[in-house]
């Protein structure tokens, strides 16, 4: 017998065919489908620093290159650096002035300090740490201006072609033709560079030229002893791509990268599935449509050894996570009715109400996967089971579990345990994965009103398929 509580042994089939545990799935209350990470869109809501919890808009984060201005990471082990204070005494010591407090950066993990690379101490703890300048900054700026000018020129040429195509004598196509506002004046008003400046940047640009002259290596390059403590690792070099220091003495503190709070949206109906709070210190969600809170949860309590052509016992636990009573019926996967027509009707209704054009090209990238081959069948009860609504206070109830018959082992609050029988195929090979599957028909009460005028709740009958991974087939 084995006791399994890990969620990876029980997987649900997503609407796109992916196999995921219930903790990695979402449930859309608008199109009534289970969604996985491939069926949703990710949107960035806000940027923040995970160390100081400073929140900033996207425009400010873009200007700061997605880096925090007050927090630094250790260039050696990449942990957060701490600011430490010390007293700086006068080397002469004859003026009688009290020692001055100075600050430096230190890592509590690898004991790296800013003094190790020659960074002077600062009189203020809030910043002002010197940064090494990139020697290729001017060249990067020239390339950036050059490609911006090319993009602006190509955009202007495209607009001119479209304008000439639809020009008609005596008719004005746009406002600039009627008022006499030229394209140059419109760009100046909008703050965009003019076409003349773009052409000047393109004409004055000096392209890079390859050179055959390569600096020769020193004579003692192959004879000199190597001290690995003074050479940086590859991860340390790539953390600073503009400098890529090869020596440990050239390392410098790196500003910490910003983190993002993201919301997730259903690709089919464009409704939010998760949306966090704007405050970076809050762990709550405004919207949190996880499948764990809407779909009945299945857990494996225990099972017997799986042998070819034999029967074994299986104990399952079913839970109702919703605040409403749920009716469950267990079916074979092939007995699930086709609900595509109902879902298409729901999607068409949502498309009309939202006036959105759906992009279904993502569906071709993730084709529907067939479920794994089953090692046998599960003996399912032919009766419907009723689960009470979720009650957190019932977890601390000392009353013994009720019901005890051939099918229901025990029942307590919103949970019940089932005793099922597994029948393994005689042709199952020893050592192969023992997969068993069944479908669940459950009632779901949707608390989202279909429209602003209709406030009443609607009940639906939904289906989901569960795959049980019971290890290997034994002899």
């Amino acid at each position: 017998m084995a006791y399994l509580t890990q969620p990876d042994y029980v997987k649900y089939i997503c609407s796109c065919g992916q196999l995921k545990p219930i903790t990695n799935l979402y449930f859309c209350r608008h199109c009534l489908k289970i969604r996985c990470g491939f069926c949703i869109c990710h949107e960035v809501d806000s940027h923040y620093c995970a160390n100081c919890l400073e929140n900033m808009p996207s425009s400010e984060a873009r200007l700061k290159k997605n880096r925090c201005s007050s927090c630094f990471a250790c260039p050696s082990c990449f942990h957060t650096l701490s600011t430490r204070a010390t007293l700086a005494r006068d080397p002469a010591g004859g003026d009688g002035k009290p020692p001055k407090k100075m600050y430096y950066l230190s890592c509590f993990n690898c004991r790296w300090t800013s003094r190790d690379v020659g960074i002077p101490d600062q009189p203020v703890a809030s910043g002002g740490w010197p940064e090494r300048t990139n020697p290729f900054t001017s060249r990067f700026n020239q390339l950036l201006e050059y490609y911006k000018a090319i993009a602006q020129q190509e955009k202007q040429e495209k607009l001119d072609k479209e304008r000439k195509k639809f020009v008609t004598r005596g008719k004005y196509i746009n406002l600039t033709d009627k008022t006499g506002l030229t394209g140059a004046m419109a760009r100046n008003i909008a703050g965009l560079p003019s076409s003349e400046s773009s052409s000047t940047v393109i004409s004055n640009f000096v392209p890079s030229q390859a050179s055959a002259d390569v600096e020769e290596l020193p004579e003692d390059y192959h004879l000199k002893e190597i001290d690995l403590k003074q050479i940086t690792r590859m991860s340390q070099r790539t953390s600073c791509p503009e400098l890529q220091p090869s020596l440990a003495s050239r390392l410098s503190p790196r500003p910490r990268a910003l983190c993002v709070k993201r919301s997730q949206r259903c690709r089919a109906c464009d409704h939010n599935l998760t949306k966090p709070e704007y405050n970076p210190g809050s762990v709550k969600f405004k919207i949190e449509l996880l499948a764990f809170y809407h779909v009945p949860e299945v857990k494996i309590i225990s099972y017997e050894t799986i042998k070819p052509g034999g029967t074994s016992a299986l104990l399952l636990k079913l839970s109702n996570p919703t605040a409403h009573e749920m009716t469950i019926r267990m079916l074979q996967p092939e007995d699930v009715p086709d609900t595509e027509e109902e879902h298409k009707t729901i999607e068409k209704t949502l498309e009309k109400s939202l006036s959105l054009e759906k992009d279904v090209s993502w569906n071709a990238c993730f084709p529907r996967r067939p479920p794994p081959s089953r090692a046998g069948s599960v003996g399912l009860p032919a009766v419907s089971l009723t689960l009470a609504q979720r009650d957190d206070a019932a977890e601390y109830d000392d009353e013994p579990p009720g019901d005890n018959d051939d099918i229901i082992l025990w029942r307590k609050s919103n949970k019940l345990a089932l005793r099922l029988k597994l029948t393994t195929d005689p042709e199952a090979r020893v050592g192969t994965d023992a997969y068993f599957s069944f479908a669940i028909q459950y009632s779901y009460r949707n608390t989202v009103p279909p429209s602003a005028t209709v406030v009443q709740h609607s009940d639906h009958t939904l289906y989901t398929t569960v795959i049980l991974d019971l290890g290997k087939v034994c002899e």
Side-chain angles (χ1 to χ4, degrees):
M1 304 289 286
Y3 185 78
L4 303 177
T5 56
Q6 294 86 346
D8 292 344
Y9 291 96
V10 180
K11 295 185 178 181
Y12 292 70
I13 297 183
C14 176
S15 57
C16 66
Q18 299 284 335
L19 295 179
K20 299 289 182 181
I22 193 173
T23 53
N24 294 357
L25 292 174
Y26 306 89
F27 181 80
C28 182
R29 292 192 297 179
H30 299 272
C31 55
L32 302 179
K33 284 187 178 181
I34 296 177
R35 302 295 185 187
C36 66
F38 299 104
C39 306
I40 58 179
C41 299
H42 300 265
E43 300 176 353
V44 176
D45 282 351
S46 61
H47 296 75
Y48 71 97
C49 177
N51 185 50
C52 63
L53 298 181
E54 180 186 359
N55 199 357
M56 61 183 67
S58 301
S59 58
E60 184 179 354
R62 194 180 302 110
L63 292 176
K64 293 183 178 181
K65 299 180 181 179
N66 292 329
R67 298 280 178 173
C68 181
S69 57
S70 57
C71 301
F72 294 89
C74 176
S76 179
C77 65
F78 310 114
H79 282 71
T80 304
L81 293 176
S82 302
T83 305
R84 302 195 66 179
T86 183
L87 296 178
R89 299 182 180 275
D90 189 4
D95 53 358
K97 293 183 180 179
K100 188 178 181 180
K101 185 178 290 188
M102 303 294 287
Y103 301 91
Y104 66 96
L105 297 176
S106 175
C107 178
F108 291 160
N109 183 57
C110 66
R111 302 300 179 184
W112 183 91
T113 63
S114 57
R115 296 176 173 179
D116 297 342
V117 293
I119 298 178
D121 298 347
Q122 301 296 320
V124 183
S126 59
W129 306 101
E131 298 182 3
R132 288 193 173 96
T133 58
N134 186 4
F136 305 103
T137 302
S138 60
R139 183 59 179 173
F140 283 148
N141 294 333
Q142 291 177 4
L143 291 172
L144 185 62
E145 293 178 0
Y146 174 70
Y147 286 115
K148 281 184 178 180
I150 289 179
Q152 182 67 24
Q153 188 178 23
E154 291 179 352
K155 185 178 179 180
Q156 185 63 32
E157 291 177 355
K158 184 178 179 180
L159 291 176
D160 293 341
K161 289 181 180 179
E162 292 180 355
R163 184 176 300 176
K164 291 178 181 179
K165 187 184 300 183
F166 298 101
V167 161
T168 306
R169 179 179 297 179
K171 294 183 178 180
Y172 300 106
I173 303 302
N174 49 31
L175 184 62
T176 58
D177 296 338
K178 184 176 181 180
T179 58
L181 183 64
T182 61
M185 296 174 62
R187 285 192 293 270
N188 292 333
I189 295 174
L192 299 176
S194 61
S195 58
E196 296 180 358
S197 60
S198 301
S199 59
T200 304
V201 171
I202 295 174
S203 60
N204 295 336
F205 178 74
V206 179
S208 301
Q209 296 180 359
S211 176
D213 298 335
V214 180
E215 185 179 356
E216 297 182 357
L217 296 176
E219 297 180 356
D220 59 343
Y221 183 79
H222 299 284
L223 303 176
K224 185 172 57 176
E225 295 184 1
I226 299 176
D227 187 2
L228 296 179
K229 295 182 179 180
Q230 302 298 329
I231 299 176
T232 56
R233 302 188 303 271
M234 185 61 65
S235 58
Q236 296 173 347
R237 298 185 188 185
T238 54
S239 65
C240 185
E242 64 273 13
L243 298 176
Q244 299 184 13
S246 58
L247 300 177
S249 58
R250 299 292 297 172
L251 293 175
S252 59
R254 295 287 298 167
R256 281 186 61 91
L258 297 178
C259 299
V260 297
K261 278 201 168 187
R262 55 188 176 90
S263 61
Q264 296 166 332
R265 189 182 295 273
C266 178
R267 288 181 183 267
C269 62
D270 298 326
H271 285 88
N272 279 109
L273 299 179
T274 60
K275 190 172 183 62
E277 292 284 349
Y278 188 74
N279 182 15
S282 175
V283 295
K284 296 181 180 180
F285 283 80
K286 296 179 181 178
I287 303 174
E288 193 174 14
L289 299 181
L290 304 179
F292 183 77
Y293 299 121
H294 300 274
V295 181
E297 182 185 8
V298 179
K299 281 189 176 182
I300 301 174
I301 299 178
S302 62
Y303 69 94
E304 294 178 349
T305 304
I306 309 298
K307 296 182 178 181
T311 60
S312 56
L314 171 66
L315 299 182
L316 293 180
K317 184 175 74 171
L318 303 180
S319 304
N320 176 17
T322 64
H324 309 282
E325 188 177 277
M326 180 180 291
T327 303
I328 293 179
R329 187 179 180 185
M330 306 179 72
L331 307 172
Q332 295 295 339
E334 55 270 13
D335 296 337
V336 176
D338 188 11
T339 57
E340 290 297 327
E341 295 297 331
E342 179 185 355
H343 292 317
K344 287 180 181 179
T345 305
I346 295 174
E347 290 180 1
K348 288 181 180 179
T349 305
L350 290 170
E351 188 173 354
K352 290 180 180 179
S353 61
L354 296 175
S355 299
L356 295 174
E357 295 181 0
K358 301 297 185 298
D359 182 14
V360 295
S361 58
W362 60 273
N363 203 8
C365 301
F366 306 102
R368 187 177 182 84
R369 292 184 178 179
S373 57
R374 296 184 290 178
S377 60
V378 184
L380 303 174
V383 296
S384 299
L385 307 174
T386 303
L387 289 177
Q389 63 272 17
R390 180 181 178 181
D391 186 7
D392 296 333
E395 295 290 338
Y396 306 98
D397 194 359
D398 295 334
E399 294 183 3
D403 289 348
N404 191 352
D405 54 22
D406 295 338
I407 300 175
I408 301 178
L409 186 63
W410 54 260
R411 180 192 296 268
K412 182 178 181 180
S413 182
N414 64 327
K415 304 179 182 65
L416 62 85
L418 293 178
R419 183 188 291 111
L420 304 178
K421 183 183 291 185
L422 300 177
T423 303
T424 311
D425 294 337
E427 300 178 356
R429 297 181 180 179
V430 177
T432 57
D433 295 327
Y435 288 113
F436 294 85
S437 61
F438 62 91
I440 299 178
Q441 172 188 325
Y442 61 98
S443 60
Y444 176 74
R445 176 167 294 180
N446 193 359
T447 57
V448 177
S451 62
T453 57
V454 181
V455 188
Q456 63 181 2
H457 301 158
S458 57
D459 295 332
H460 302 272
T461 301
L462 305 179
Y463 299 87
T464 184
T465 305
V466 181
I467 306 293
L468 303 179
D469 184 2
L470 302 183
K472 303 288 184 179
V473 178
C474 303
E475 297 182 358

